[in-house]
Amino acid sequence: MKAYKIPEATVIRLSIYSRQLSNLRKAGVETVSSEEIANSVGVSSAQVRKDLAYFGEFGTRGVGYRVDELLGNLTKILGLTKEWNLAIIGAGKLGSALALYEGFRQRGFSIRAIVDVDHKRVGLDLAGVVVDPLDRLETLIKERDIKIGIITVPAAEAQRVTDRLVDAGVPAVLNFSPQVLRVPPHVVLRNVDLAVNLKVLSFNLSHNS
Amino acid sequence: MKAYKIPEATVIRLSIYSRQLSNLRKAGVETVSSEEIANSVGVSSAQVRKDLAYFGEFGTRGVGYRVDELLGNLTKILGLTKEWNLAIIGAGKLGSALALYEGFRQRGFSIRAIVDVDHKRVGLDLAGVVVDPLDRLETLIKERDIKIGIITVPAAEAQRVTDRLVDAGVPAVLNFSPQVLRVPPHVVLRNVDLAVNLKVLSFNLSHNS
DNA sequence: ACTCCTTTGTTACCAAAATCACTATCCTTA
DNA sequence: TAAGGATAGTGATTTTGGTAACAAAGGAGT
């Protein structure tokens, strides 16, 4: 599991493969070919094989891949054998929706803290997690071993809370705010920008036709 | 504004530039250099210039770009001079959060319909838009000239409602469900997969250190 | 055991995107 | 009005990611 520079596109596809394999396993399928995976995801079979080749040999020629085995390997590759503790920063509309959303409460990830500046929101119970005051951020991060911080505060506050997360030792940030964030190189950052997504659609609508 | 094959990464950056320029304009800044834009976004100045070069010459050498002028051009390029009508399919946690979220109610985009199968949700008022029954989907699309459909239904229903959107003539889909969607080539599709984002972070956390 | 069929793993090739380096042009000021 | 400094625009180069083709390897059937 070495393989130094893995393209981000590959990692994204791997996580989609893992989801499809999970579905196949539920459906009782035992083996699958790169071609079948490719079709279900909408890429080429060569792409699938190449993505997997970064990490080893998981199939048998002439046969394909054993679903449970490949899924196990992808789970290891993606680091999903352990549980990652999450904190949501900002219990507004988006933050609470994410807290309640099932898609976020899945194997491998556990929402352990939700914080907000607004005292009216403190004390609310969101699917079993009680909203704490923002002051307690650093304490909670340490006490609950938070590894991923999810930013759902307004743009104006986003950098400030991110700095606090980073200073408190959180190694990964998922940013939902419409704000470019600065983090030191050892911190992993991903952006989910809803406005940008709409603008990209707008661009394509304006030019494709 | 011809420029046939524009990299998606470029379009994403352009929409981020436009946001930064918007902030600059609010701050009263009149001119800006590619270097300054680059610094505020975290890319190289050459990248900024190259992205803009796909569409024309917007700056003056030795000086930089006029903020309002460049913003105007980006607005045109991104197709944000007209209003795009949105429909949210699925008024669950995520769908209603998006409906209420300010980030979605911004210049250029207007939520015109929200639908759900669940009759308990029909009739709810979400920031001025009343939830309609899913049956009315096709009617609403035509009546309200919906151009972008936002999928926030469970994975199992995602392809079905997408097909209905496509058949009703919706040219763009923003998919929040954890499901690979098939659309014909003339339909623009973007995916915002929360689980995938977490998995990519997990991968990086597991390998970066 | 031999042959054929299938499908993986891998290499070589190609395309696309990012970076770099250079040139052209404008503004300022002496 | 000439010169210097700044910065946009652009062509060349490098890097990266994707495609395609093929050799290696396993299984099935005769």
Side-chain angles (χ1 to χ4, degrees):
Chain A
M1 217 167 291
K2 268 289 56 170
Y4 257 38
K5 196 52 193 164
I6 310 294
E8 164 158 317
T10 290
V11 179
I12 291 172
R13 283 190 298 268
L14 288 176
S15 79
I16 296 173
Y17 303 158
S18 85
R19 190 174 63 206
Q20 305 295 55
L21 287 167
S22 192
N23 293 340
L24 288 177
R25 191 175 58 172
K26 256 178 247 155
V29 178
E30 297 203 334
T31 61
V32 68
S33 69
S34 60
E35 185 69 36
E36 291 167 316
I37 296 175
N39 287 336
S40 83
V41 173
V43 300
S44 73
S45 64
Q47 182 79 80
V48 172
R49 294 197 296 278
K50 189 149 203 208
D51 286 337
L52 296 175
Y54 284 107
F55 300 95
E57 306 188 4
F58 305 114
T60 58
R61 301 176 186 212
V63 179
Y65 304 89
R66 297 219 36 185
V67 170
D68 53 1
E69 190 183 315
L70 183 54
L71 179 55
N73 278 305
L74 286 179
T75 302
K76 272 197 223 110
I77 291 166
L78 292 171
L80 299 171
T81 45
K82 57 169 292 192
E83 182 102 338
W84 299 102
N85 294 337
L86 318 181
I88 297 179
I89 322 303
K93 312 258 167 49
L94 191 56
S96 7
L98 294 179
L100 298 168
Y101 183 55
E102 300 77 22
F104 248 50
R105 311 197 147 268
Q106 58 173 241
R107 171 150 170 267
F109 300 96
S110 168
I111 299 174
R112 288 294 171 91
I114 307 171
V115 301
D116 201 294
V117 258
D118 187 344
H119 279 249
K120 286 193 292 294
R121 288 172 183 158
V122 171
L124 289 177
D125 185 307
L126 299 173
V129 186
V130 175
V131 178
D132 266 293
L134 181 60
D135 313 346
R136 296 204 60 226
L137 184 61
E138 287 77 7
T139 314
L140 291 166
I141 287 170
K142 265 137 209 168
E143 278 179 8
R144 304 190 186 168
D145 194 28
I146 302 297
K147 288 285 188 278
I148 300 178
I150 298 169
I151 308 286
T152 59
V153 300
E157 275 82 45
Q159 184 64 62
R160 190 167 18 238
V161 299
T162 303
D163 291 344
R164 287 179 63 179
L165 289 173
V166 169
D167 289 345
V170 173
V173 172
L174 185 55
N175 174 36
F176 283 85
S177 80
Q179 168 75 30
V180 176
L181 294 182
R182 311 304 184 115
V183 295
H186 64 275
V187 172
V188 190
L189 171 67
R190 284 187 67 79
N191 297 293
V192 179
D193 194 315
L194 306 179
V196 165
N197 272 291
L198 288 180
K199 287 180 185 175
V200 173
L201 287 180
S202 168
F203 174 87
N204 286 311
L205 286 173
S206 309
H207 292 71
N208 276 16
S209 49
Chain B
M1 217 167 291
K2 43 326 97 93
Y4 259 39
K5 196 51 192 163
I6 310 294
E8 165 157 317
T10 290
V11 180
I12 291 172
R13 283 191 298 268
L14 288 175
S15 78
I16 296 173
Y17 304 158
S18 84
R19 191 175 62 206
Q20 304 296 57
L21 287 166
S22 193
N23 293 339
L24 288 176
R25 191 176 57 174
K26 256 177 245 153
V29 178
E30 298 204 333
T31 61
V32 67
S33 68
S34 60
E35 184 68 36
E36 291 168 316
I37 296 175
N39 287 336
S40 83
V41 173
V43 299
S44 73
S45 64
Q47 182 78 81
V48 172
R49 293 196 298 275
K50 192 138 209 225
D51 286 336
L52 296 175
Y54 283 108
F55 301 94
E57 307 188 3
F58 304 113
T60 58
R61 304 178 185 205
V63 180
Y65 304 90
R66 296 220 38 185
V67 170
D68 54 1
E69 190 183 316
L70 183 55
L71 180 55
N73 279 305
L74 286 179
T75 302
K76 274 197 222 108
I77 290 167
L78 293 170
L80 298 172
T81 44
K82 59 170 292 192
E83 182 103 336
W84 300 102
N85 294 337
L86 318 180
I88 297 179
I89 322 303
K93 313 258 168 47
L94 191 56
S96 9
L98 294 179
L100 298 168
Y101 184 56
E102 299 78 22
F104 248 50
R105 311 198 146 270
Q106 57 172 242
R107 172 149 171 268
F109 301 97
S110 168
I111 299 173
R112 288 293 171 90
I114 306 172
V115 302
D116 201 296
V117 258
D118 187 344
H119 278 249
K120 286 194 293 292
R121 288 173 183 157
V122 171
L124 288 177
D125 184 307
L126 300 174
V129 185
V130 175
V131 178
D132 266 292
L134 181 59
D135 313 347
R136 296 204 61 225
L137 184 61
E138 287 76 7
T139 315
L140 291 166
I141 288 169
K142 266 138 208 167
E143 280 179 7
R144 303 190 186 168
D145 193 28
I146 302 294
K147 289 285 188 278
I148 300 178
I150 298 170
I151 309 286
T152 59
V153 301
E157 275 83 46
Q159 184 64 61
R160 190 166 20 239
V161 299
T162 302
D163 291 344
R164 288 179 62 180
L165 288 173
V166 169
D167 289 345
V170 173
V173 174
L174 185 55
N175 174 35
F176 282 86
S177 81
Q179 168 75 32
V180 177
L181 294 181
R182 310 304 182 116
V183 295
H186 63 275
V187 172
V188 190
L189 171 68
R190 286 187 65 80
N191 297 294
V192 180
D193 194 315
L194 306 179
V196 165
N197 273 290
L198 288 179
K199 287 181 184 172
V200 173
L201 286 180
S202 168
F203 174 88
N204 286 311
L205 285 173
S206 308
H207 292 69
N208 275 16
S209 50

